[in-house]
Amino acid sequence: MKIAIFGATGRTGRVTLGLALEQGFEVTVLVRDPSRLPPGPSPQRVLQGDVRDPRAVGEALRGQEGVLILLGTGNDL
């Protein structure tokens, strides 16, 4: 299954990304800073951009069968 993950560099996103890759999903991520991706297995597609940019989001969604949105505030609520 092909999935896109938004928020893959955050706390929940890192865990979710690792689990998706372990399960054999073909993963695309849209991140502002690719260097913040966790070490280990890498997503098949890493797109650098911002989720507030409709073109970047559209490119990330192209060809996907599912989407996980794990965006947060970056603060402990």
Side-chain angles (χ1 to χ4, degrees):
M1 178 177 235
K2 296 180 180 183
I3 62 170
I5 299 178
F6 298 103
T9 60
R11 285 176 278 184
T12 304
R14 288 171 175 245
V15 172
T16 303
L17 173 60
L19 292 171
L21 293 171
E22 284 177 13
Q23 293 297 315
F25 289 96
E26 186 176 320
V27 180
T28 294
V29 297
L30 174 64
V31 295
R32 287 179 289 180
D33 181 1
S35 71
R36 292 191 58 218
L37 285 167
S42 297
Q44 284 74 14
R45 288 178 64 210
V46 176
L47 303 174
Q48 187 170 0
D50 194 301
V51 297
R52 296 172 292 183
D53 177 358
R55 289 184 186 152
V57 171
E59 177 60 24
L61 294 177
R62 186 173 46 86
Q64 303 307 309
E65 298 170 290
V67 180
L68 298 172
I69 301 171
L70 304 164
L71 301 171
T73 64
N75 299 315
D76 187 5
L77 302 175

